[in-house]
Amino acid sequence: MRLLVLGGTWFLGRAVVERALGRGWRVSTFNRGVSRADVPGVTAIRGDRVDAGDVRRLAEAGPWDAVIDTSSGELAPREVGIVVSALRGRVARWVHVSTVSVYAEWPRARLTEGSELLECPADADASVGFTGPDGTPTRYGFQKAGGERAVSSVFGDRAVFLRPGVILGPGEYVGRLPWWLRRTAAGGRFLAPAPAGRRIQPVDVRDVAHFALDQAVGEARGAFNVAHPEGMTFESFVRECLEATGGAGRPVWVEPEVLTGHGVRQWTELPLWRTHAGVWSVDPGRAVAAGLACRPLAETVRDTWAWLRADGTPVDHPRWAEHGIAPEKEAKILASL
């Protein structure tokens, strides 16, 4: 199996590469070489995916049986299309990592793969789309929907779209789970978003990588929602963080209206917390039927803490700084309760 990974040096891309090599596949990666070193054993092709000359060199290095694109996150649809068009005839199958943010009703309503998508043309530039006053929809979601259309316009039924919600695990660069682990490890009273029994559906990066590789050699077409089918309650999540870190902290469960009244930003200041009804109502049934297997999230929590203690050096990414409430703001809220 000849696999091309767009990206491939950190988090999901790295997990894909490591597991592909473990399967005995021949793996090429295409990236700028600025984030981290490539995994030993790959054929590294250096270049920028929005540079026409670099992309021509990439196409000349093929062909491949499949490509897994893990690096289109911040690209405009027309930029996604540069590589897609160049690899026409050089790749047999395209696995595209997208997001649940492409759905018009996320995070307000329960989602299936048949839910309506945001409208964004395949040739759109970065100006297309908007972010709503309550944070939904997002310009990011519009752009990712257009990116899917750019892939479909060239690869059609030979394309598969993976739409994860939140991906956690060792190597995380966003900082959601690392923040909770470090906060629970620090001890003392800490804010926790009620209701404690609300279920969340993050998925482990290693499980997403396995599923992406299976789709690279499969015959499925269309989209898959990639979310944990069982999930866990927020209370269980916090308890697992406390147990993994050995922290002596005590969660103080606070109702959503109190948190919002104090100006706590959803999704970032208390990572994974959002009041919208559909944020954790993503139906992954089609992916499960196609082989998605998700480890218990308790394992994800423990392994991420082990990574943080042993290495814990994420890629330098601006989103890391967005996550977590300032200690002085948290203390002020706790004092007011």
Side-chain angles (χ1 to χ4, degrees), residues 46-106:
R46 293 283 179 255
D48 191 321
R49 57 182 294 163
V50 299
D51 183 289
D54 290 349
V55 171
R56 280 195 298 272
R57 286 193 302 102
L58 170 65
E60 291 167 359
W64 295 275
D65 299 305
V67 59
I68 299 179
D69 186 357
T70 68
S71 69
S72 68
E74 305 300 327
L75 296 179
R78 67 169 54 173
E79 293 173 327
V80 173
I82 293 172
V83 172
V84 172
S85 297
L87 294 180
R88 186 198 307 262
R90 307 298 287 166
V91 173
R93 187 167 173 81
W94 193 288
V95 179
H96 193 75
V97 180
S98 186
T99 170
V100 294
S101 296
V102 299
Y103 291 112
E105 289 301 309
W106 188 85

Side-chain angles (χ1 to χ4, degrees), residues 183 189-191 252 254 329-337:
R183 181 62 193 90
R189 298 166 72 228
F190 61 89
L191 292 175
V252 179
V254 182
K329 182 173 182 178
E330 182 185 42
K332 184 177 180 179
I333 296 172
L334 287 168
S336 73
L337 299 176

Side-chain angles (χ1 to χ4, degrees), residues 208-267:
V208 180
H210 278 300
F211 186 66
L213 292 172
D214 289 346
Q215 297 315 305
V217 293
E219 297 181 354
R221 62 187 67 177
F224 292 97
N225 292 335
V226 183
H228 203 292
E230 290 87 29
M232 70 192 316
T233 65
F234 222 117
E235 182 176 31
S236 296
F237 171 74
V238 169
R239 183 173 61 249
E240 292 294 343
C241 288
L242 284 164
E243 291 182 359
T245 63
R250 180 168 68 87
V252 179
W253 296 94
V254 182
E255 294 301 321
E257 59 271 20
V258 176
L259 293 172
T260 56
H262 282 280
V264 177
R265 293 193 305 275
Q266 299 183 44
W267 210 234

Side-chain angles (χ1 to χ4, degrees), residues 57-207:
R57 286 193 302 102
L58 170 65
E60 291 167 359
W64 295 275
D65 299 305
V67 59
I68 299 179
D69 186 357
T70 68
S71 69
S72 68
E74 305 300 327
L75 296 179
R78 67 169 54 173
E79 293 173 327
V80 173
I82 293 172
V83 172
V84 172
S85 297
L87 294 180
R88 186 198 307 262
R90 307 298 287 166
V91 173
R93 187 167 173 81
W94 193 288
V95 179
H96 193 75
V97 180
S98 186
T99 170
V100 294
S101 296
V102 299
Y103 291 112
E105 289 301 309
W106 188 85
R108 298 183 180 87
R110 182 170 177 79
L111 299 173
T112 70
E113 290 82 2
S115 299
E116 180 183 359
L117 300 185
L118 294 168
E119 286 296 328
C120 183
D123 61 350
D125 62 22
S127 69
V128 175
F130 62 92
T131 297
D134 68 343
T136 65
T138 62
R139 185 183 299 273
Y140 173 75
F142 281 99
Q143 294 281 305
K144 292 292 279 186
E148 287 193 14
R149 292 186 174 98
V151 175
S152 290
S153 68
V154 174
F155 280 85
D157 288 345
R158 295 182 293 129
V160 174
F161 302 96
L162 308 187
R163 295 172 181 161
V166 172
I167 303 176
L168 302 178
E172 184 194 335
Y173 66 92
V174 175
R176 295 184 176 108
L177 178 51
W179 183 84
W180 277 107
L181 287 164
R182 287 171 173 160
R183 181 62 193 90
T184 54
R189 298 166 72 228
F190 61 89
L191 292 175
R198 188 177 190 187
R199 301 195 75 80
I200 60 177
Q201 294 179 283
V203 63
D204 192 290
V205 62
R206 296 163 291 187
D207 299 331

Side-chain angles (χ1 to χ4, degrees), residues 271-287:
L272 306 179
W273 168 63
R274 201 165 192 168
T275 58
H276 297 82
V279 65
W280 298 116
S281 294
V282 178
D283 181 3
R286 185 169 189 257

Side-chain angles (χ1 to χ4, degrees), residues 16-37:
V16 167
V17 169
E18 290 172 345
R19 282 148 188 81
L21 291 171
R23 296 186 183 195
W25 295 5
R26 287 184 288 163
V27 182
S28 300
T29 59
F30 180 66
N31 55 65
R32 295 174 297 166
V34 298
S35 296
R36 281 195 168 180

